[in-house]
Amino acid sequence: MSDDVVPTGRRSPARTAGRPRVLVVGGRSAHVRKAWELGLDVVHVQYPDAYDRGHHPCVDQALLLDYGDVDRLLTLVRALHAAYPFRAAVSLFEPGLLPAARINEALGLPGTSVATVELLLDKGRLRRHLAARGISPVAFAIGRRTEDVREFAAAHGLPFVVKPLRESGSLGVFPVRDRADVDGVVRRFRSLGDRPWRAGDLAGADSFDAFLMEEFLDGPEVSVETLSFDGRHVVVAVTDKECGGPGFVEVGHAQPSARPAGTLREVAWLVRDVLDAVGLRDGPAHTEVKLTARGPRIVESHNRVGGDRINELTETVHGVDMERYALGAAFGLLEPLAAAPPPRGGAAVRFLTPRPGRVVEVTGAEAVRADPALVELEVRAVPGAVVPPLTWNEDKAGHVVARGATAAEAVAHGRRLAAALRVRTEPVA
């Protein structure tokens, strides 16, 4: 057995007899805990610096390596599968989606196909694929040079958007509104490649060579959280999204959506058409949609649960833990949903976005934790830490999730609680 494979010594074979085994690629410790609670034995593939003793109670075998190196991963997984067979590989973390699909394909195991995962990961390919089928028409082109940006501006006018082909989390999404943006956006985009990216980050230096240009989609944005069961797509929730940071960084989400019922029906039809077109038949999806004056238009789609605490909102409002379904439905451990459970009140997340600088003091957390409207509080800003300028989701300093009788009440509670948690910063010398 490879030195990369770590036996946890947690349980004896007698205790786990009869339990189906799953290979979980990447993700949070909560994912392996949920898999164990569902009745699964867990083989966990994880970056070495992301695995610790907190995983041990729920992991039978751990394979610790940079799983972005898929060729090396497959060699080790084949040996591990021979010794500890598993029924499928699953990932709830964007960088793990393609490795999980490659594992399933190589071993003849069920799961979303490599072709579908690659299509959803590549925003340019997805645009071409949908355009060829007349679904959600949007003007777009792929570029590498400033001249490409100028040509797109001449052909389609201003404003429009430049963004990476494969990344998530609102990273590197730039609006192009005037001539100065046209001439400077490639430099700004390329500068992101100079960051000290590491294995496990959602991007790398080579993420910023080529970019997608697409027409600016006016109107509010929603995301559609779905679970698919053998090609039948169930819309579990629609999330209203609030942008407030630079570019397109989101500062809050709320469920259930306040959009008119007719609009939500159009959105649901569009999303089902997209999921059919890309060949997604099972598991979760998170699809972002703009409600434009010409009707709903797809922004992008992912075969995973939405980030930014959207699963916590969905569980609070609809009683559906989409992560548990992503892990357990394929093993027959959860009954397929016939339809989304009706909402039971509202929930909202509000992100903490203090002034950039070095954190001097954090106050108000105890009062926020005692508030009956609070569902969840996370504060990543601690004294001595540096709060960066808000450029993408990973720059947020934490969040509050609040509940209410309605989505509007939950949003009001979220804003109130976020304001009560005060993060004082000072300029970094």
Side-chain angles (χ1 to χ4, degrees):
M1 186 66 62
S2 165
D3 290 341
D4 296 289
V5 181
V6 180
T8 65
R10 181 179 54 78
R11 295 185 294 273
S12 69
R15 287 185 61 191
T16 62
R19 290 169 61 100
R21 178 162 291 185
V22 63
L23 180 79
V24 178
V25 182
R28 298 181 288 114
S29 59
H31 299 158
V32 296
R33 174 179 53 78
K34 289 180 181 182
W36 165 245
E37 290 172 349
L38 281 165
L40 295 166
D41 279 357
V42 178
V43 178
H44 190 33
V45 177
Q46 186 56 277
Y47 297 107
D49 61 357
Y51 186 90
D52 58 36
R53 290 190 175 275
H55 293 79
H56 282 196
C58 302
V59 174
D60 293 273
Q61 297 290 330
L63 180 57
L64 307 181
L65 77 164
D66 175 4
Y67 53 79
D69 184 348
V70 179
D71 291 336
R72 179 180 177 224
L73 172 64
L74 286 174
T75 298
L76 295 170
V77 164
R78 284 189 177 97
L80 188 60
H81 182 57
Y84 304 97
F86 44 86
R87 295 191 189 177
V90 178
S91 184
L92 281 72
F93 183 49
E94 181 120 342
L97 297 175
L98 187 55
R102 291 278 304 275
I103 290 167
N104 287 330
E105 183 177 89
L107 298 178
L109 302 175
T112 300
S113 71
V114 170
T116 293
V117 174
E118 288 183 330
L119 182 56
L120 290 170
L121 287 173
D122 189 323
K123 298 177 178 64
R125 285 185 59 194
L126 179 62
R127 284 284 183 221
R128 284 194 297 270
H129 189 78
L130 296 181
R133 288 154 179 78
I135 299 173
S136 187
V138 172
F140 74 97
I142 295 171
R144 292 179 178 273
R145 308 166 301 153
T146 297
E147 187 57 35
D148 297 327
V149 181
R150 291 173 182 156
E151 290 176 2
F152 192 86
H156 301 286
L158 299 172
F160 59 94
V161 173
V162 166
K163 64 184 184 181
L165 290 172
R166 295 183 69 90
E167 309 313 327
S168 60
S170 299
L171 174 66
V173 183
F174 296 106
V176 180
R177 296 190 175 94
D178 53 33
R179 181 69 186 187
D181 289 338
V182 169
D183 291 339
V185 71
V186 173
R187 175 185 52 78
R188 295 174 64 197
F189 181 83
R190 289 273 171 77
S191 70
L192 295 173
D194 298 331
R195 293 188 181 189
W197 301 107
R198 304 172 303 168
D201 288 335
L202 293 176
D206 60 351
S207 301
F208 306 101
D209 295 333
F211 47 83
L212 179 66
M213 300 170 287
E214 57 187 22
E215 69 174 273
F216 183 84
L217 299 173
D218 64 303
E221 183 174 334
V222 299
S223 67
V224 183
E225 326 310 331
T226 56
L227 288 168
S228 298
F229 305 91
D230 194 23
R232 181 175 58 85
H233 311 299
V234 176
V235 175
V236 180
V238 178
T239 308
D240 288 339
K241 306 171 86 66
E242 179 182 351
C243 291
F248 299 91
V249 180
E250 295 152 355
V251 296
H253 306 307
Q255 289 184 18
S257 175
R259 304 302 166 191
T263 299
L264 295 179
R265 282 194 294 271
E266 283 187 76
V267 168
W269 292 333
L270 174 60
V271 169
R272 291 187 179 106
D273 285 346
V274 169
L275 298 183
D276 283 341
V278 301
L280 185 70
R281 297 193 57 79
D282 292 285
H286 167 74
T287 306
E288 296 166 359
V289 180
K290 277 279 195 174
L291 307 179
T292 78
R294 295 180 292 136
R297 293 291 185 271
I298 294 294
V299 177
E300 54 196 57
S301 187
H302 311 266
N303 65 307
R304 58 167 171 78
V305 178
D308 270 357
R309 318 315 288 173
I310 285 175
N311 190 56
E312 284 67 26
L313 302 186
T314 306
E315 187 173 10
T316 300
V317 173
H318 294 280
V320 176
D321 184 340
M322 293 185 59
E323 293 178 346
R324 286 173 60 87
Y325 269 91
L327 292 162
F331 297 90
L333 300 173
L334 294 169
E335 286 294 321
L337 291 177
R344 49 188 191 189
V349 59
R350 190 77 183 178
F351 298 102
L352 306 179
T353 57
R355 186 187 302 274
R358 193 175 307 281
V359 177
V360 176
E361 183 182 38
V362 179
T363 60
E366 289 186 8
V368 170
R369 288 192 178 95
D371 195 290
L374 182 74
V375 175
E376 181 180 275
L377 170 65
E378 180 186 48
V379 184
R380 295 199 292 255
V382 296
V386 174
V387 176
L390 185 62
T391 59
W392 70 307
N393 286 351
E394 295 302 307
D395 293 329
K396 297 168 184 175
H399 65 265
V400 294
V401 178
R403 61 169 62 88
T406 63
E409 184 176 283
V411 169
H413 283 315
R415 290 175 174 166
R416 172 178 60 80
L417 294 175
L421 201 147
R422 293 172 293 278
V423 180
R424 185 165 64 89
T425 62
E426 64 181 9
V428 177

